[in-house]
Amino acid sequence: MTAYDKNNIFAKILRGEIPCKKVHEDEYVLAFNDINPQAPVHILVIPKGAYVSIDDFGANASESEIAGFYRAVAKIAQENNLAAGGFRTIANTGLNGGQEVPHFHVHLLGGRSLGPMLAKAA
Ligand code: 5GP
């Protein structure tokens, strides 16, 4: 697992060095609108702790950080009226997953029918 880069974009957003359109914040998470939305609602939920990816988070975060994170994802979906119609969560991980920002994040997408989960495999 690669070491955490404290200068990644989301670390800078957490420190307030780069602005974001915040939709939710609590002890465990910050959530903000994706700068390049792929759906009418596209929110990024990130833990406040320094974790590279979901495998780092699952292996090294405390029980309260993990519970706090996923409870917040569910709450943010409710707060943004996604739960009734359905929505999608994505956590891109590493090279094959196409992860661009090396701070664990969950994409929360909704507001329309999202179609198939993946493009057809080659
Ligand atoms: P990944 O490919 O790592 O799963 O997703 C990274 C996401 O972060 C992309 O959807 C991209 O649009 C978003 N993103 C990259 N830089 C910024 C930024 O500076 N601000 C915001 N709000 N989103 C960003």
Side-chain angles (χ1 to χ4, degrees), residues 9-10 13 18 32-36 42 44 92 98-101 105 107:
I9 290 167
F10 293 171
I13 287 175
I18 291 178
F32 50 91
N33 289 323
D34 196 293
I35 204 167
N36 183 23
H42 187 170
L44 299 168
N92 295 321
Q99 183 180 3
E100 292 171 9
V101 180
H105 52 281
H107 297 253

Side-chain angles (χ1 to χ4, degrees), residues 102-122:
H103 180 112
F104 171 48
H105 52 281
V106 164
H107 297 253
L108 193 47
L109 296 142
R112 66 166 166 80
S113 175
L114 296 167
M117 186 169 67
L118 292 172
K120 282 208 165 69

